[in-house]
């Protein structure tokens, strides 16, 4: 039932995009709907939790988990980037809404969704200036901005309560091997998945099998928080190749892909989602699948994204 509940929204999103394409409607309206719809949802969440701001993670009462709330805000920000950099209409509105949505990400307390929009924005600017002398300035100022933002988060009491503490623990795990419980648990998930492949590495153990098999370890049914190991354990090498072969194709042709504006914006989202697969599950996130599908549609068929 968990898998079905997660896939149903993906089916309806896919049908909406398919209908938009076949009827000649501008797909920008879909991304605008994602941004506005999620902005309204975030406003309701924030308004209803106004007395709790800065005291913990927020979002679970409305979305089943604060992580889910933060992820949806994050994907809505991706939609804002598409509307800003590709369609270039009502830019001020999408900038304001993306900033508000990023605040929604912060109060959700999710490290992944806090970092991903920043990485996407950096890559968009990086790819755009890849053949320009400005690239060194882009890297320099981005590094300064990231360091400055880090110190702001860890030294400001309000921001620290939102997400700064978790970001600090993440950096400490890389530098000092001083890990919090969440990171330790995720490492254990990866180790369990890889160590228990057994003789089923070709087709895997079956749908949702990691959650079923190791519920006794974590006290609950939970994904392995790693797209690679989740697919390998549940669907084996066959499932892994089916899901990831187009990623390899895209990276081999990245130079040609980045020639068009629509491509380097989508490529930035695509690269960040690929990196994020090491600590999240992508193949059950409808909006992630949508963005990846749009990228490959544009890449493999060489369509003009503005018309698509």
């Amino acid at each position: 039932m968990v898998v079905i509940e997660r896939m149903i929204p993906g089916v309806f999103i896919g049908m909406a995009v398919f209908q938009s394409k076949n009827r000649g409607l501008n797909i920008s309206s879909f991304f605008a709907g994602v941004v506005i719809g999620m902005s309204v949802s975030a406003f309701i969440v924030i308004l209803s939790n106004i007395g709790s701001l800065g005291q913990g993670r927020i979002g679970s009462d409305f979305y089943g988990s604060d992580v889910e709330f933060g992820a949806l805000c994050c994907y809505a920000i991706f939609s804002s980037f598409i509307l800003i950099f590709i369609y270039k209409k009502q830019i001020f509105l999408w900038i304001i809404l993306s900033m508000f949505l990023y605040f929604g990400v912060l109060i959700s307390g999710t490290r992944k969704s806090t970092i991903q929009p920043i990485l996407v924005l950096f890559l968009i600017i990086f790819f755009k200036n890849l053949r320009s002398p400005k690239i060194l300035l882009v890297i320099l100022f981005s590094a300064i901005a990231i360091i400055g933002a880090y110190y702001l988060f860890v030294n400001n009491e309000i921001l620290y309560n939102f997400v700064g503490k978790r970001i600090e623990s993440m950096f400490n795990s890389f530098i000092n091997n001083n890990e919090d419980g969440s990171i330790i648990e995720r490492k254990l998930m990866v180790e369990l998945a890889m160590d228990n492949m057994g003789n089923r590495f070709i087709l895997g153990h079956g749908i949702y099998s990691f959650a079923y098999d190791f519920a006794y370890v974590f006290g609950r049914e939970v994904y392995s928080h790693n797209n690679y190991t989740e697919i390998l354990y549940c669907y084996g090498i066959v499932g892994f190749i089916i899901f990831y072969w187009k990623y390899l194709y895209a990276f081999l042709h990245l130079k040609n892909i980045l020639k068009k504006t629509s491509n380097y914006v989508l490529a930035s989202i695509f690269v960040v989602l690929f990196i994020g697969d090491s600590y999240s599950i992508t193949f059950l996130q409808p909006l992630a699948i949508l963005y990846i599908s749009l990228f490959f549609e544009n890449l493999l068929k060489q369509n003009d994204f503005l018309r698509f």
Side-chain angles (χ1 to χ4, degrees):
M1 285 304 299
V2 174
V3 176
I4 292 174
E5 288 170 2
R6 291 220 173 200
M7 293 307 294
I8 285 176
V11 172
F12 281 104
I13 288 174
M15 291 173 62
V17 174
F18 179 77
Q19 290 297 316
S20 297
K21 183 180 178 183
N22 283 353
R23 295 180 182 180
L25 299 178
N26 196 326
I27 200 171
S28 64
S29 60
F30 173 81
F31 290 111
V34 171
V35 177
I36 294 173
M38 195 57 218
S39 296
V40 173
S41 299
F43 178 77
I44 294 172
V45 169
I46 294 170
L47 189 64
S48 61
N49 290 275
I50 196 71
S52 304
L53 293 181
Q55 299 179 16
R57 305 176 73 179
I58 290 175
S60 57
D61 291 342
F62 286 82
Y63 288 92
S65 78
D66 35 41
V67 174
E68 198 71 24
F69 171 66
L72 288 170
C73 285
C74 180
Y75 288 123
I77 294 172
F78 293 167
S79 294
S80 293
F81 289 159
I82 290 173
L83 293 166
I84 291 167
F85 290 101
I86 296 179
Y87 291 99
K88 300 179 180 179
K89 295 179 180 178
Q90 298 178 305
I91 293 176
F92 182 73
L93 171 64
W94 307 128
I95 290 175
I96 294 297
L97 289 180
S98 61
M99 292 172 65
F100 173 70
L101 288 165
Y102 194 71
F103 177 69
V105 170
L106 291 180
I107 64 174
S108 73
T110 58
R111 287 174 289 208
K112 177 191 73 174
S113 297
T114 300
I115 294 171
Q116 282 189 330
I118 304 300
L119 289 177
V120 169
L121 184 59
F122 166 74
L123 285 176
I124 289 173
I125 299 172
F126 179 83
F127 288 148
K128 183 177 181 180
N129 294 280
L130 194 59
R131 297 176 181 84
S132 168
K134 295 179 181 178
I135 194 63
L136 294 177
L137 290 176
V138 170
I139 296 173
L140 176 62
F141 284 113
S142 297
I144 293 173
I146 290 171
I147 294 171
Y150 172 74
Y151 278 99
L152 178 63
F153 277 109
V154 299
N155 290 298
N156 182 284
E157 183 178 357
I158 296 176
L159 293 176
Y160 191 78
N161 288 334
F162 282 152
V163 74
K165 183 178 181 180
R166 290 172 57 78
I167 293 178
E168 184 181 37
S169 68
M170 180 182 68
F171 280 105
N172 285 339
S173 69
F174 294 124
I175 299 171
N176 304 319
N177 202 30
N178 180 22
E179 299 169 345
D180 65 7
S182 174
I183 294 176
I184 293 173
E185 186 178 64
R186 292 178 187 223
K187 283 190 173 182
L188 176 60
M189 290 175 178
V190 172
E191 291 173 3
L192 286 171
M194 297 307 296
D195 292 344
N196 290 275
M197 288 292 293
N199 58 358
R200 299 189 179 182
F201 62 90
I202 296 178
L203 294 177
H205 292 72
I207 295 174
Y208 206 50
S209 55
F210 179 90
Y212 288 137
D213 292 347
F214 300 107
Y216 74 95
V217 176
F218 303 103
R220 64 198 189 283
E221 293 177 4
V222 61
Y223 295 111
S224 65
H225 289 72
N226 184 301
N227 207 63
Y228 309 115
T229 55
E230 184 78 21
I231 291 178
L232 282 171
Y233 187 86
C234 296
Y235 308 103
I237 293 294
V238 173
F240 190 86
I241 292 172
I242 289 173
F243 189 84
Y244 277 110
W245 77 267
K246 286 185 177 180
Y247 283 70
L248 177 62
Y249 181 95
F251 282 117
L252 291 175
H253 295 80
L254 193 59
K255 183 178 179 180
N256 293 327
I257 292 169
L258 299 177
K259 290 181 178 178
K260 291 199 299 183
T261 300
S262 59
N263 276 344
Y264 71 67
V265 174
L266 291 174
S268 301
I269 298 173
F270 164 79
V271 169
V272 169
L273 289 176
F274 177 77
I275 296 171
D277 278 357
S278 61
Y279 50 84
S280 66
I281 301 296
T282 298
F283 74 94
L284 286 178
Q285 294 178 334
L287 282 175
I289 296 301
L290 170 65
Y291 290 128
I292 294 168
S293 301
L294 288 174
F295 176 71
F296 287 130
E297 168 77 12
N298 200 43
L299 165 65
L300 298 178
K301 295 188 177 181
Q302 296 300 312
N303 285 346
D304 183 344
F305 185 77
L306 291 172
R307 287 188 289 115
F308 173 66

